[in-house]
């Protein structure tokens, strides 16, 4: 019977949910995962077709994509626009697979720099899980980066190409750090996946299957070993029993039929946006403001990363449309706090390869940089394949005013409220953005750019959604304890980037997956006293 | 273009003339390169715009009205200097249409085989052939390798 009580119910089959399911399989418990989206076939990805640059069904913007499994996101009150994908693999279907880890200092920002809060765990606690995650996902990189803790077991690094080498020469000219990015991309065959073909646009899905999305990394093995994954099952609410324990979840299947799946342990892995949405939508007499929300912090402390994008035009072709778009090189030159810079914490520079012809034309037209008429062709030729961009991913400090709430005015296809994002850039972020834009301009100039466009600081999309159900030791200042168990509900766990206490200045997926493996490890270690 | 699409198109003859004119204005032909009003490209543009007929028809109506009000001329007959003013006015009065139109024309034009060949790009989908990226000479990293670790090891 599908809806008998199971041992573990995981909600969300993305980056975190897949890792948790894979890890818990060891226990021989009956594990079921409910996912609102579908499996994606590699043959459906846009890079299979000539219209690969124009397909909205693989847009990262849910309001444009509008699949039945998506939910509305009102981001009009945020300069940063959250993006995602809902399906088996979650947002890793569309992520760029840039795969840095958080730095040790990211877990100790209060102690070291007097800002944010310290995590209840340290980098060292996650280290074995970073390594385990790297093994399953397959991470390319070059050992020896002086900007990061050592690691091994890496696949060969992604080649820089002309574009990457050109920008690297700019960093060298300034004497600044750079290193080939760690990338969750199989640059050699790995765990049955074939190697990267340099298709280019990883952010519309990888038709080759070289990019480590969790539908092709964790899930096949988890399912083979007994996890049951049910797709097109949208969880509307977590139910409670009379003791105040989670009883299970009410969900709607693809035909809109309602079911309740009961479970002894419930684990939320719906993303930094989907997890608070579900908790806030699960109200009861005991929790009128949302489940596990006695601290009032569910949905708050949203962090999206403050980002800048600086682009330079070069006078030679950069072959930028070839190779994984988001994975070339990074720089940690400005990662750690330096009081002289006028702000706390720091950022990573990431080099973005060039766009294809359609995206080049569309983005230039949108900026008013590509004229109509006889000057069109010359202008296009001067920019296509001649542009290199530097993105700064900056640490944004958690603030309670930055938050996710339910949007009852916009409902998903099952009638569940969408989300509203309220987010502003704090003063520290503003100073960091200014610093990063100026430094990126220097790099591009040193690399030989003939023009550098003004740095873009708003309207940037971010799939980095963190902090909305943070972990901590104090139940008044956090939603879960140090191993992801909700303070208020002893059999309810959170395993995604909602748990993050700080955002770091790097993409979050490596860290959130290590954290998910850590949470499941803690569950496995404590099975005999899990609810004490 | 197949009969079916022509019959199903939400655009009549008048709208097709306006779309042809605008496409020609946006990307004219040049040295062996087609214009965006080239028959093959234009049909793709029309099929794509037909997915958003309300925005398109409203935009074309505005275009026609501005030409008549400001220049007392049908759109295809406005002079090249008037054209710039006409497009600026359209941008101000029907921004959603201009954004849609520009984005659609770019999507259809820059995937045409002739255009891709002129840019030295393969006229095919990226998968399954992929692309060759030249191997990196990692001696480029030598200056960085000399640096001591500088992350805070806490
Ligand atoms: C375009 C793009 C580029 C990115 N690039 C990078 C990058 O280069 N590096 C990096 O580290 N990160 C990147 N990211 C971010 C990365 O994808 C996310 O950090 C990561 O996938 C988050 O993992 P998660 O498990 O928390 O959420 P997700 O992976 O988003 O998974 C959540 C899953 O939960 C499901 N779900 C939600 N609510 C419900 C419900 N009520 N019922 C049932 N199922 C539900 C969703 O359908 C989804 O499948 C990118 C993201 C995008 C969109």
């Amino acid at each position: 019977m599908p809806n008998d009580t199971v041992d573990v119910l995981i909600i969300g089959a993305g980056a975190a949910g897949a890792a948790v399911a894979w890890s818990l399989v060891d226990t021989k418990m009956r594990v079921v995962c409910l996912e609102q989206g579908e499996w994606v076939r590699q043959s459906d990805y846009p890079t299979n077709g000539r219209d690969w640059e124009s397909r909205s069904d693989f847009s990262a913007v849910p309001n444009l994509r509008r699949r039945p499994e998506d939910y509305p996101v009102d981001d009009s009150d945020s300069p940063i626009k959250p993006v995602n994908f809902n399906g088996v693999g979650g947002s890793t279907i569309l992520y760029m697979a840039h795969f840095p880890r958080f730095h040790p200092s990211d877990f100790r920002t209060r102690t070291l720099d007097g800002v944010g809060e310290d995590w209840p765990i340290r980098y060292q606690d996650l280290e074995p899980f970073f390594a385990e995650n790297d093994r399953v996902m397959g991470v390319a990189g070059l050992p020896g980066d002086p900007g990061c803790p050592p690691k091994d077991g890496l696949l060969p690094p992604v080649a820089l190409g002309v574009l990457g080498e050109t920008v690297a020469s700019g960093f060298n000219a300034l004497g600044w750090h750079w290193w080939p990015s760690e990338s969750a991309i199989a640059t050699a065959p790995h765990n049955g996946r074939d190697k990267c073909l340099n298709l280019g646009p990883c952010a519309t899905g990888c038709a080759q299957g070289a990019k480590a999305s969790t539908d092709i990394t964790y899930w096949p093995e988890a399912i083979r070993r007994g996890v049951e994954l049910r797709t097109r099952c949208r969880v509307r609410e977590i139910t409670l029993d009379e003791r105040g324990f989670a009883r299970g979840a009410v969900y709607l299947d693809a035909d809109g039929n309602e079911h309740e799946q009961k479970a002894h342990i419930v684990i939320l892995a719906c993303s930094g946006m989907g997890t608070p949405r579900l908790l806030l939508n699960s109200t009861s007499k005991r929790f009128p403001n949302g489940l596990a929300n006695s601290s009032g912090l569910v949905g708050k402390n949203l962090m999206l990363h403050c980002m800048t994008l600086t682009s330079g035009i070069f006078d030679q072709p950069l072959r930028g449309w070839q190779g994984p778009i988001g994975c070339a090189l990074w720089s940690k030159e400005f990662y750690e706090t330096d009081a002289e810079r006028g702000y706390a914490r720091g950022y990573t520079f990431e080099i973005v390869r060039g766009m294809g012809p359609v995206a080049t034309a569309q983005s230039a037209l949108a900026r008013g940089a590509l004229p109509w008429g006889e000057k069109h062709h010359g202008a296009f030729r001067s920019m296509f394949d001649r542009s290199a961009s530097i993105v700064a991913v900056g640490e944004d400090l958690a603030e309670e005013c930055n938050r996710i709430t339910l949007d009852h005015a916009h409902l998903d296809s099952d009638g569940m409220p969408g989300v509203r994002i309220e987010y502003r850039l704090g003063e520290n972020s503003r100073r960091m953005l200014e610093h990063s834009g100026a430094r990126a301009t220097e790099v591009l100039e040193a690399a030989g750019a003939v023009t550098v466009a003004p740095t873009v600081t708003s309207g940037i999309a971010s799939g980095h959604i963190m902090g909305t159900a943070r972990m901590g030791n104090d139940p008044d200042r956090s939603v879960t304890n140090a191993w992801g168990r909700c303070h208020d509900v002893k059999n309810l766990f959170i395993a995604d980037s909602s748990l993050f206490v700080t955002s770091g200045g790097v993409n979050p997926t490596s860290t959130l997956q290590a954290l998910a493996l850590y949470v499941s490890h803690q569950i496995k270690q404590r099975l005999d006293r899990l609810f004490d | 273009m197949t009969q079916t699409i022509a019959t199903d198109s939400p655009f009549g003859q008048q709208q097709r003339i306006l779309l042809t004119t605008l496409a020609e204005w946006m990307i004219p032909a040049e040295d062996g390169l087609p214009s965006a009003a080239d028959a093959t490209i234009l049909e793709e543009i029309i099929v794509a715009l037909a997915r958003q007929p309300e925005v398109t028809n409203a935009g074309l109506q505005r275009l026609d009205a501005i030409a008549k009000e400001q220049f007392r001329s049908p759109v295809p007959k406005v002079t090249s200097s008037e054209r710039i003013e006409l497009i600026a006015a359209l941008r101000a009065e029907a921004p959603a249409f201009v954004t849609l139109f520009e984005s659609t024309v770019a999507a259809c034009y820059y995937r045409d085989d002739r255009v891709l060949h002129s840019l030295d790009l393969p006229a095919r989908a990226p998968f399954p052939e992929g692309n060759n990226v030249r191997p990196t000479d990692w001696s480029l990293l030598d200056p960085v390798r000399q640096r001591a670790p500088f992350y805070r090891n806490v």
Side-chain angles (χ1 to χ4, degrees):
Chain A
M1 291 294 289
N3 292 345
D4 283 351
T5 303
V6 299
D7 297 310
V8 182
L9 178 63
I10 300 167
I11 304 168
V20 170
W22 175 90
S23 167
L24 287 178
V25 121
D26 297 343
T27 61
K28 308 269 186 269
M29 293 193 287
R30 179 160 173 220
V31 181
V32 167
C33 176
L34 300 177
E35 164 57 50
Q36 66 190 348
E38 298 273 15
W39 287 94
V40 181
R41 284 190 304 255
Q42 278 166 229
S43 55
D44 288 343
Y45 286 129
T47 46
N48 287 283
R50 291 292 302 272
D51 58 351
W52 58 280
E53 288 196 90
S54 325
R55 292 257 304 268
S56 63
D57 53 340
F58 281 91
S59 166
V61 181
N63 299 349
L64 284 181
R65 196 171 57 228
R66 288 166 171 268
R67 293 178 178 229
E69 55 268 37
D70 292 322
Y71 50 95
V73 177
D74 177 354
D75 58 16
S76 52
D77 208 5
S78 172
I80 315 259
K81 309 296 178 190
V83 288
N84 71 356
F85 189 80
N86 298 308
V88 179
S91 302
T92 65
I93 294 293
L94 299 186
Y95 81 152
M96 297 202 200
H98 199 255
F99 221 61
R101 298 176 181 182
F102 269 36
H103 286 212
S105 69
D106 294 327
F107 298 85
R108 286 283 169 279
T109 63
R110 167 63 50 186
T111 303
L112 292 173
D113 301 322
V115 293
E117 302 223 6
D118 289 350
W119 290 52
I121 55 173
R122 305 165 72 102
Y123 178 88
Q124 291 72 9
D125 296 315
L126 291 186
E127 206 157 28
F129 304 100
F130 275 123
E132 184 166 49
N133 189 51
D134 284 2
R135 276 195 299 277
V136 179
M137 297 289 276
V139 178
L142 195 66
D145 185 346
C148 305
K151 56 191 80 86
D152 50 26
L154 298 168
L155 298 166
V158 173
L160 298 180
V162 180
L163 185 145
E165 290 166 20
T166 305
V167 180
S169 72
F171 281 106
N172 277 351
L174 294 166
W176 290 351
H177 170 265
W178 68 274
W179 203 259
S181 296
E182 274 154 36
S183 315
I185 291 179
T187 47
H190 184 77
N191 287 351
R193 285 159 43 218
D194 211 346
K195 69 173 198 173
C196 175
L197 289 173
N198 298 308
L199 302 180
C202 308
T204 58
C206 181
Q208 165 75 343
K211 183 183 81 170
S213 50
T214 60
D215 58 328
I216 56 170
T217 57
Y218 280 107
W219 274 117
E221 191 178 337
I223 290 169
R224 199 164 51 242
R225 295 174 62 200
V227 176
E228 184 190 343
L229 171 54
R230 289 184 215 149
T231 56
R232 284 307 298 278
C233 294
R234 165 131 55 207
V235 176
R236 193 186 61 207
E237 100 180 78
I238 307 299
T239 48
L240 285 181
D241 67 15
E242 55 296 336
R243 298 170 303 158
F245 273 51
R247 187 175 67 202
V250 173
Y251 69 93
L252 295 137
D253 66 20
D255 301 321
N257 300 315
E258 191 172 304
H259 306 264
E260 183 175 8
Q261 176 60 62
K262 295 185 182 147
H264 298 302
I265 300 171
V266 176
I267 304 177
L268 302 187
C270 298
S271 84
M273 203 150 61
T275 289
R277 174 183 187 235
L278 184 51
L279 289 171
L280 292 171
N281 203 47
S282 302
T283 51
S284 58
K285 246 198 208 132
R286 200 185 283 253
F287 294 106
N289 300 320
L291 187 57
N293 196 16
S294 65
S295 65
L297 291 178
V298 170
K300 294 187 181 158
N301 291 309
L302 169 68
M303 295 171 284
L304 294 170
H305 279 143
C306 51
M307 300 203 205
T308 54
L309 173 80
T310 311
S311 303
I313 299 286
F314 292 74
D315 57 10
Q316 84 271 14
L318 298 171
R319 312 315 273 170
W321 48 275
Q322 304 174 327
I325 182 162
C327 297
L329 58 106
W330 67 34
S331 168
K332 305 286 186 173
E333 184 67 29
F334 304 105
Y335 197 87
E336 304 286 357
T337 298
D338 177 345
E340 307 252 294
R341 294 184 198 133
Y343 58 82
R345 310 298 302 152
Y347 56 86
T348 301
F349 275 141
E350 304 178 4
I351 283 36
V352 182
R353 293 180 205 251
M355 294 177 280
V358 172
T360 301
Q362 287 175 330
S363 71
L365 285 160
R367 296 194 308 273
L370 186 58
W372 286 35
E374 58 194 25
K375 295 207 172 107
H376 179 93
H377 293 286
F380 183 79
R381 277 193 294 267
S382 72
M383 62 180 74
F384 175 66
D385 199 22
R386 282 165 163 72
S387 161
S389 300
I390 299 183
V391 172
V393 175
E395 172 158 355
D396 49 344
L397 302 174
E399 294 186 79
E400 284 189 26
C401 59
N402 290 339
R403 60 183 187 149
I404 283 175
T405 53
L406 293 180
D407 179 0
H408 292 277
H410 298 100
L411 308 178
D412 68 23
S413 57
D414 293 310
M416 184 173 166
V419 294
R420 210 177 114 63
I421 311 292
E422 289 167 59
Y423 181 88
R424 64 175 185 105
L425 292 167
E427 189 48 36
N428 196 65
S429 297
R430 277 180 211 289
R431 292 204 204 123
M432 196 187 297
L433 291 182
E434 215 170 284
H435 186 271
S436 66
R439 298 295 83 74
T441 303
E442 285 177 52
V443 175
L444 290 166
E445 285 171 352
V450 283
T451 54
V452 178
T455 297
V456 177
T457 56
S458 80
I460 299 181
S462 171
H464 310 167
I465 308 166
M466 300 163 281
T468 47
R470 54 157 56 173
M471 57 172 16
N473 292 320
D474 178 354
D476 290 333
R477 301 186 53 76
S478 54
V479 177
T480 80
N481 70 8
W483 34 281
R485 190 182 76 178
C486 290
H487 292 299
D488 295 343
V489 184
K490 291 199 164 152
N491 65 338
L492 179 63
F493 291 79
I494 296 174
D496 58 36
S497 52
S498 312
L499 292 175
F500 283 24
V501 180
T502 61
S503 74
V506 290
N507 322 57
T509 306
S510 170
T511 304
L512 76 87
Q513 289 187 300
L515 189 59
L517 293 173
Y518 174 80
V519 167
S520 33
H521 177 77
Q522 294 295 322
I523 293 174
K524 290 192 281 192
Q525 296 300 299
R526 296 164 196 265
L527 274 179
D528 54 341
R529 60 204 140 92
L530 195 59
F531 309 137
D532 290 353
Chain B
M1 202 70 285
T2 66
Q3 191 59 38
T4 327
I5 291 169
T7 314
D8 289 350
S9 173
F11 309 126
Q13 190 58 21
Q14 170 64 7
Q15 283 93 344
R16 288 178 73 94
I17 291 171
L18 292 177
L19 288 169
T20 311
T21 309
L22 272 189
E24 176 71 44
W25 288 355
M26 183 174 154
I27 311 185
E30 185 200 272
D31 289 347
L33 274 174
S35 87
D38 165 89
T40 315
I41 299 170
L42 187 71
E43 281 312 328
E44 290 202 20
I45 293 170
I46 288 174
V47 169
L49 288 173
R51 289 185 211 118
Q52 302 200 49
E54 293 87 11
V55 181
T56 306
N57 276 323
L60 294 177
Q61 260 172 29
R62 251 348 280 149
L63 173 69
D64 190 49
I66 299 168
K68 285 184 181 138
E69 285 157 20
Q70 290 191 11
F71 307 109
R72 301 185 185 291
S73 160
V75 174
K77 294 263 157 62
V78 296
T79 64
S80 46
S81 55
E82 290 168 342
R83 201 183 281 176
I84 294 163
E85 276 179 65
L86 175 55
I87 296 165
L90 185 66
R91 217 179 266 288
E93 292 183 32
F97 166 69
V98 176
T99 303
L100 172 69
F101 180 78
E102 289 188 327
S103 156
T104 307
V105 171
C108 299
Y109 187 79
Y110 285 105
R111 65 168 180 244
D112 181 84
D113 286 7
R114 295 159 290 177
V115 178
L116 292 175
H117 286 312
S118 81
L119 294 168
D120 198 19
L121 293 174
R124 58 169 169 81
F127 185 78
E129 260 182 78
N131 300 298
N132 281 321
V133 177
R134 73 180 185 201
T136 306
D137 173 1
W138 294 112
S139 66
L140 196 58
L141 265 178
D142 286 351
V144 191
R145 284 197 168 103
Q146 281 158 21
R147 237 169 125 163
F150 61 96
Y151 63 91
R152 285 190 283 179
N153 195 8
V154 287

